[in-house]
Amino acid sequence: MIDENLPTFYLRPSSDNVKHNASVLLSQYGSEAAPAYALRHPDPALPGSKNRYAVALYDSYHPEILYGEVLLIPEWTQPTLSQEEIRKNGGVPPAPQPILPSSFVIQLYNPDQQIVVQQGVSKWSATPQWVFEMPQQSFRQPSVASIDRTQSDPTASETTPKLRFKWRKDGKLTKDHVCLLSGKNTNPDGSKRKNREPDITISMFKHLKEITMYEPNLMRVDIEDPKGLEVVMLLSAIVIREVYNGNMRDTFNVSDIPRRLSDGAAPRKNSYERTGRPRTDILPSQTPLQPTHPRPPLQAQTANPRPPPTDPRSQWEIDAETVRLKKQVEREERERRHAEHAETKRVKKMLEEEERKARLKQIEIDKETERLKRQFEREQRHAHKNNTPSLPARPAASLRPNFPTLNNPQPPVQRPHSASPYRPAGPYLQEPANNASSSVFFGGGSSSNLRPPEGRRVRSKPSFFGLLGHSDHSGPRLSKKQSAVF
């Protein structure tokens, strides 16, 4: 603060905690700073506030009273034709960048007038400066004549004298600015510079936060609308601070450049995981419910509250978003095909593994079957060998063929039963009573061992033709013919 007695305006955040709004407080003669104006910016989230800058100055106690506003739409760089840049940017030209404007217009109300502020450079110090002019007469003279009412306002008349003001930076290494009133030219033809009055300071902008009106020099300004001059100085100082000394992207609410379109965005969630397998952790009871409210009609869906683009940046954003969505759809389709291919390959591999396991299992079953079969055959042979008795040897007399006749069939042989354990009846295997080895054929043994038990008679087997052997049945027998000679 230069002097507490001078009127000083302070730029402070808004009391309603709105980030894009601010308050202008006024302090004079050492008093507490009180609200004087309300500074408002459009909501950055609204589509209509994109790619532009706007600020308005309202009355602090009567919010419906608007003193003045500034709307600044920047120009944009032309798209490049370099294929290398387009390729690096993912197939679309680089985003157009805002160009810092060299002038802006302040719109005043009641009376309505436009103040154009031009940016320039000082010839002596090479520092930037902003020049504007204000008419000395702003209000129409009261008159009862009808012809006076048909005339235009003095602010719009080219014959109205104007005063020239300029904001100039106080130095190259400082942020302070000074508002000067350009001196008048005392020479009527304006050819001699030595007759020009010096510039006088009427306002100072310290640290881009407080504006001090130098009241002694301000009284020397011959102007009809001092309130309009105050509004113009406030709005011009705010624009210089936010536009020419701030970040252009934030000032003009330029949306961030999306990532390279070649990189793409994160894939949307689907039923496939990154491994290509379908998700199985979602139970039927966990299936998300569909919305029950009806879908809006097609016209309501296609309606876009945002107005059509009026600047190259908005058009570029639309084109870039179209290309990005197209690439995203292609990438998702490619990922879906890859997932399906991976799933098909996994299922095929699983089936092949199952078939291989089935073949191995079948081979094991066949081997086990063959082993059990061989084991069963060995056990069967061993059991048959142990349980089958050996047959006795036939005597020599019984070795002759004894074929039964057709008329006298041989009855079945009835073998004697004995309570004693079975013993083989062969001549070589039977043990004699006196435990001495003897043979019936060589006279060493008794023939009683070969006789059947008493009470039972063994039939002799008839021969096939009834020629040999004797039969017990009664009937005609063939007698042997005797020779007549012998």
Side-chain angles (χ1 to χ4, degrees):
M1 179 183 294
I2 299 176
D3 190 354
E4 62 179 9
N5 295 323
L6 297 177
T8 305
F9 296 93
Y10 300 95
L11 302 179
R12 296 290 184 268
S14 178
S15 58
D16 54 1
N17 296 327
V18 179
K19 187 177 181 180
H20 53 270
N21 292 340
S23 298
V24 181
L25 308 181
L26 175 61
S27 175
Q28 190 176 8
Y29 303 115
S31 63
E32 294 291 335
Y37 299 98
L39 200 63
R40 300 181 186 177
H41 295 83
D43 189 0
L46 296 177
S49 63
K50 298 290 184 181
N51 305 324
R52 60 192 60 197
Y53 170 81
V55 62
L57 196 64
Y58 288 83
D59 188 83
S60 181
Y61 298 98
H62 301 278
E64 68 278 1
I65 297 178
L66 175 63
Y67 292 109
E69 61 181 359
V70 176
L71 176 62
L72 190 56
I73 300 177
E75 297 182 357
W76 303 87
T77 58
Q78 297 296 327
T80 180
L81 300 179
S82 175
Q83 296 298 325
E84 183 67 19
E85 295 294 333
I86 295 176
R87 184 185 61 81
K88 290 181 180 180
N89 200 49
V92 295
Q97 301 297 327
I99 300 175
L100 191 65
S102 59
S103 64
F104 57 92
V105 178
I106 300 175
Q107 176 67 45
L108 298 179
Y109 297 99
N110 195 23
D112 296 347
Q113 58 178 327
Q114 292 184 349
I115 306 300
V116 180
V117 182
Q118 294 282 348
Q119 183 188 19
V121 180
S122 176
K123 295 181 180 179
W124 298 101
S125 59
T127 56
Q129 63 180 9
W130 294 266
V131 181
F132 62 92
E133 294 180 350
M134 288 196 66
Q136 292 182 349
Q137 183 180 357
S138 300
F139 302 98
R140 186 179 297 178
Q141 294 290 338
S143 175
V144 295
S146 299
I147 191 172
D148 293 337
R149 296 179 181 178
T150 58
Q151 294 179 356
S152 58
D153 294 335
T155 56
S157 177
E158 295 182 357
T159 59
T160 303
K162 297 181 180 181
L163 298 179
R164 185 182 178 90
F165 301 90
K166 58 182 177 182
W167 281 101
R168 188 179 63 189
K169 197 171 182 180
D170 205 8
K172 292 184 178 181
L173 303 179
T174 182
K175 293 182 179 180
D176 297 343
H177 293 71
V178 180
C179 184
L180 304 174
L181 171 63
S182 298
K184 295 181 181 180
N185 192 355
T186 58
N187 194 359
D189 56 1
S191 57
K192 294 182 181 180
R193 291 182 177 271
K194 62 181 180 179
N195 294 330
R196 182 175 174 271
E197 295 181 355
D199 299 339
I200 58 176
T201 302
I202 60 173
S203 178
M204 290 162 285
F205 193 15
K206 291 292 184 180
H207 309 295
L208 300 178
K209 292 182 179 180
E210 57 183 49
I211 303 172
T212 302
M213 301 294 180
Y214 196 65
E215 199 172 17
N217 290 341
L218 193 60
M219 294 297 180
R220 298 171 55 185
V221 179
D222 185 12
I223 195 170
E224 193 177 33
D225 186 14
K227 184 69 173 181
L229 178 60
E230 180 180 310
V231 171
V232 169
M233 285 193 295
L234 288 176
L235 285 176
S236 59
I238 292 171
V239 172
I240 290 172
R241 183 187 75 161
E242 295 181 352
V243 176
Y244 295 95
N245 291 276
N247 188 0
M248 262 199 315
R249 297 185 59 83
D250 298 336
T251 300
F252 293 103
N253 196 17
V254 178
S255 59
D256 295 334
I257 299 178
R259 292 182 301 174
R260 289 178 54 188
L261 300 178
S262 59
D263 298 339
R268 291 180 295 184
K269 295 182 178 180
N270 49 21
S271 59
Y272 290 95
E273 299 177 355
R274 297 183 65 86
T275 56
R277 299 184 180 181
R279 295 185 59 184
T280 57
D281 57 343
I282 299 179
L283 300 179
S285 60
Q286 298 177 352
T287 303
L289 300 178
Q290 298 295 333
T292 57
H293 57 275
R295 296 183 62 184
L298 182 61
Q299 295 180 358
Q301 293 180 359
T302 56
N304 189 3
R306 182 177 181 179
T310 57
D311 54 84
R313 176 74 184 197
S314 300
Q315 186 62 40
W316 178 88
E317 290 178 357
I318 294 175
D319 298 340
E321 184 67 14
T322 303
V323 174
R324 188 187 68 82
L325 293 177
K326 183 177 179 181
K327 288 183 175 294
Q328 182 178 355
V329 171
E330 293 177 355
R331 185 183 64 257
E332 291 181 355
E333 182 67 20
R334 185 166 58 253
E335 291 178 355
R336 185 186 62 82
R337 290 196 301 266
H338 179 70
E340 290 180 355
H341 177 70
E343 182 66 15
T344 304
K345 187 176 180 180
R346 186 185 68 84
V347 172
K348 184 178 179 181
K349 185 177 180 181
M350 182 179 64
L351 294 177
E352 292 177 354
E353 183 68 18
E354 291 180 356
E355 292 179 358
R356 187 182 66 82
K357 291 181 179 180
R359 289 195 301 269
L360 294 177
K361 187 175 182 180
Q362 187 62 34
I363 292 174
E364 293 178 358
I365 292 174
D366 295 341
K367 289 182 179 180
E368 185 66 16
T369 303
E370 291 294 331
R371 188 185 68 80
L372 295 176
K373 185 177 179 181
R374 290 193 299 268
Q375 182 180 357
F376 179 74
E377 290 177 355
R378 286 196 305 268
E379 292 179 355
Q380 189 176 15
R381 288 196 302 267
H382 182 69
H384 183 72
K385 181 178 180 181
N386 293 337
N387 297 333
T388 303
S390 59
L391 298 176
R394 289 185 177 184
S398 63
L399 294 178
R400 292 176 298 177
N402 187 13
F403 300 101
T405 60
L406 295 177
N407 296 329
N408 300 318
Q410 182 182 0
V413 179
Q414 297 183 358
R415 295 184 179 180
H417 296 274
S418 177
S420 61
Y422 174 79
R423 293 183 179 180
Y428 301 102
L429 299 178
Q430 185 176 5
E431 183 178 0
N434 53 1
N435 294 332
S437 300
S438 61
S439 175
V440 297
F441 296 101
F442 297 96
S446 176
S447 62
S448 61
N449 293 332
L450 300 177
R451 294 178 183 179
E454 295 181 359
R456 302 196 63 176
R457 187 176 180 180
V458 180
R459 282 185 176 181
S460 61
K461 295 182 181 180
S463 64
F464 184 77
F465 296 101
L467 298 179
L468 301 175
H470 301 280
S471 177
D472 294 340
H473 66 278
S474 61
R477 295 181 59 187
L478 291 177
S479 60
K480 185 178 179 181
K481 293 184 179 182
Q482 299 180 356
S483 175
V485 180
F486 300 99

